[in-house]
Amino acid sequence: MHEPAVPHLQAGDPEIAGLVEAEARRQFEKIRLIASENYVSPAVLEATGSVLTNKYSEGYAGRRYYEGQQNIDPVERLAAERARALFGVEHANVQPYSGSPANLAVYMAFLEPGDRVMGLSLPMGGHLTHGWSVSATGKWFSPVRYEVRADTGRVDMDEVRDLALKERPKLIWCGGTAIPRTIDFPAFAEIARETGAVLAADIAHIAGLVAGGAHPSPAGHADVISTTTHKTLRGPRGAMIMSTAEHAAAVDKAVFPGLQGGPHNHTTAAIAVSLREAALPGFAGYVRQIVANARALAAALLERGYDLISGGTDNHLILIDLTNKGVAGKPAAQALDRAGVELNHNAVPFDPRKPFDPSGLRLGTAAITTRGLTEERMPQIAAWIDEVVQAAASGDGTVEERVAGEIRELLASYPMPGWAPAP
Ligand SMILES: *Cc1c(COP(=O)(O)O)cnc(C)c1O
């Protein structure tokens, strides 16, 4: 049963209610290893589903374009206050609709169309919005891309510095979507200072780790920090932009009226709830466990002969190059999904294959850690992954159903926030 319960949905729209129930069961029965996903708390679900969705609030607390903000203003103030306290920053804008619009607002705040922007190349682990060609950010700005080294799988800060000195970007992004290693914020800040660039840290993936002390913070190093709220931070789908006081007005103006209309107040409330949860003492233990699980899973995969980009992980994320296993990322991911292990195919650095059919798999441990799985379970998960990948390579489909059953059995004793099977 869904928690909070959804009786009105069941009565009024059984078709959608049925799909919500089926999705909840799917999330309960699978080992969810998509690195950007998690399970939010019932409190976050309740705030997201509240009547705050009925209200228009263009503007900022105390400076709105609509009346009736007696309760919305305190909600937004609380969310921003909690963000500032949790991340140790001077300013937080909690209105961006999601990570991509938040990043677009960073461009709007600091750049003019055509200006030069530097970011980690997409197939090397960067994000579309860091100037990749198919993104508006790559079409409307002039992108320069740094890469990871072929021998280490890591960003080489000397290479970043040389490129920045040569190309003189106005904005430098650090962070990305498939980076298994610690981001060196002080080194990026030094390069930005030396070249006169604005430094933007995109911590969408690692925000929870930063908040809980399991990854160094960009606060005090980056001029501006963007993040989603729904990945390791375990909040609703949304985003924030944080900055020094110096850039507060530019950031706010870029979000509204630069790019957006009314903020999603139900999401703002849910962000506030998740930030309070992330400030509770248990959250540091949660994110430490995420990293411990990722390390244990990486070690078990290495033992089984898997080629991990950079040789392992410092955070929640693992990137596998399947080339030596004789199967591509997509068919492997599809076989794993049928077998109850959900992850995504991903490009690996210097991938000889095409982006829609790449060589790698990306996985992360944020969601399974929320379920309560610990290090001792990781060798078994690696064994299941190995068995299914090998079967996929040899075209043997018989193991998938058996593994899916074994996984359902294991996960039955790990409760899921937001749903429980009928007793
Ligand atoms: C997920 C992600 C985003 C985009 O977030 P959306 O909410 O999907 O738009 C931006 N940057 C990074 C590094 C991300 O991982």
Side-chain angles (χ1 to χ4, degrees), residues 96-410:
Y97 298 143
S98 211
S100 304
N103 285 355
L104 206 53
V106 171
Y107 287 84
M108 179 104 194
F110 296 102
L111 267 54
E112 295 295 326
D115 280 349
R116 196 161 289 183
V117 56
M118 189 164 118
L120 180 60
S121 153
L122 180 78
M124 303 276 165
H127 193 260
L128 279 165
T129 56
H130 299 179
W132 194 243
S133 45
V134 296
S135 155
T137 63
K139 291 184 192 293
W140 299 343
F141 302 92
S142 169
V144 180
R145 293 169 193 123
Y146 58 95
E147 304 195 328
V148 299
R149 283 177 63 110
D151 55 346
T152 62
R154 299 177 190 233
V155 173
D156 180 327
M157 296 312 298
D158 292 330
E159 288 181 13
V160 175
R161 181 172 175 271
D162 291 346
L163 189 64
L165 282 168
K166 180 165 153 260
E167 301 285 351
R168 296 279 166 177
K170 207 160 155 189
L171 175 69
I172 298 175
W173 286 103
C174 56
T177 60
I179 303 174
R181 295 297 181 176
T182 301
I183 300 163
D184 190 346
F185 298 121
F188 273 104
E190 181 62 40
I191 292 165
R193 229 183 341 265
E194 197 180 345
T195 57
V198 171
L199 179 64
D202 181 347
I203 60 167
H205 262 264
I206 55 169
L209 306 189
V210 170
H215 188 290
S217 173
H221 302 293
D223 300 289
V224 60
I225 301 165
S226 74
T227 185
T228 56
T229 47
H230 48 272
K231 299 180 185 176
T232 55
L233 191 56
R234 212 162 56 178
R237 303 196 80 87
M240 309 191 289
I241 303 176
M242 298 176 277
S243 74
T244 54
E246 181 193 352
H247 300 303
V251 165
D252 286 355
K253 238 176 86 187
V255 174
F256 175 86
L259 281 169
Q260 299 189 171
H264 295 178
N265 297 313
H266 54 303
T267 301
T268 308
I271 288 174
V273 172
S274 61
L275 290 169
R276 184 171 183 279
E277 291 174 355
L280 294 174
F283 195 78
Y286 164 60
V287 295
R288 260 201 312 276
Q289 189 64 52
I290 291 177
V291 176
N293 283 348
R295 289 219 170 106
L297 186 55
L301 288 165
L302 285 169
E303 217 167 280
R304 290 174 177 277
Y306 282 81
D307 179 6
L308 308 188
I309 303 306
S310 83
T313 181
D314 297 328
N315 53 32
H316 65 302
L317 189 145
I318 296 166
L319 195 55
I320 304 174
D321 183 344
L322 284 176
T323 306
N324 69 347
K325 294 292 178 183
V327 61
K330 196 173 188 169
Q334 288 169 341
L336 283 161
D337 188 51
R338 288 190 297 269
V341 180
E342 185 189 6
L343 41 66
N344 64 280
H345 62 81
N346 212 95
V348 296
F350 311 101
D351 203 326
R353 301 178 64 90
K354 298 271 180 287
F356 53 85
D357 185 23
S359 301
L361 296 175
R362 186 189 70 158
L363 45 140
T365 51
I368 58 169
T369 306
T370 297
R371 288 291 291 272
L373 273 74
T374 49
E375 294 99 308
E376 311 84 74
R377 295 294 177 195
M378 299 305 126
Q380 175 64 70
I381 293 177
W384 278 322
I385 290 174
D386 191 25
E387 198 179 355
V388 175
V389 166
Q390 284 196 42
S394 64
D396 170 8
T398 59
V399 302
E400 291 165 8
E401 203 171 318
R402 194 196 80 240
V403 169
E406 290 170 3
I407 287 171
R408 272 198 301 276
E409 200 171 314
L410 171 76

